[in-house]
Amino acid sequence: QVQLVESGGGLVQAGGSLRLSCAASESIFNFYAMGWYRQAPGEQRELVAFITTGGTTLYADSAKGRFTISRDTAKNTVYLRMNSLKPEDTADYYCNAERAGLAYWGQGTQVTVSS
């Protein structure tokens, strides 16, 4: 069974930075893509960024220029570096992995940005 374990969330002031980590229980090359989604209270879950097996990345407009998704294949870990954080970035952040039409999710890590 695929396990995705997120870490790195927390409370940060506006303008600060955080790095989220998502450790997979198997090789990240087993997935077509891995990414990060977020869900704010009362809102739908939305894509933040993803990276494909080939290394192609895609970012939501809200993340462009501030967030960077990367991976360490030796550690089976995907990261999300978030800079210049804003209060509107406050949400639960979820790691996602996809293959063969199936999506796997982590348990989420909370990010709170204070103004």
Side-chain angles (χ1 to χ4, degrees):
Q1 184 175 356
V2 175
Q3 290 188 326
L4 304 172
V5 180
E6 301 104 330
S7 61
L11 173 64
V12 64
Q13 288 188 331
S17 299
L18 284 174
R19 189 182 76 160
L20 306 183
S21 301
C22 171
S25 58
E26 57 184 84
S27 172
I28 60 177
F29 286 122
N30 291 344
F31 305 103
Y32 166 74
M34 293 189 68
W36 289 93
Y37 286 71
R38 68 185 184 187
Q39 187 168 19
E43 302 290 333
Q44 289 188 333
R45 191 171 295 189
E46 62 178 8
L47 173 69
V48 178
F50 73 73
I51 183 167
T52 69
T53 301
T56 300
T57 58
L58 182 144
Y59 295 91
D61 287 343
S62 59
K64 288 178 182 177
R66 299 188 300 129
F67 296 1
T68 303
I69 189 168
S70 62
R71 63 188 179 186
D72 185 331
T73 56
K75 296 181 179 179
N76 295 327
T77 299
V78 174
Y79 304 98
L80 184 70
R81 177 68 179 183
M82 304 186 294
N83 296 328
S84 303
L85 282 162
K86 305 174 182 179
E88 51 262 46
D89 294 318
T90 295
D92 292 324
Y93 284 71
Y94 296 90
C95 181
N96 165 273
E98 297 192 1
R99 69 177 176 207
L102 295 177
Y104 302 91
W105 297 92
Q107 81 286 353
T109 186
Q110 189 174 56
V111 172
T112 303
V113 184
S114 64
S115 57

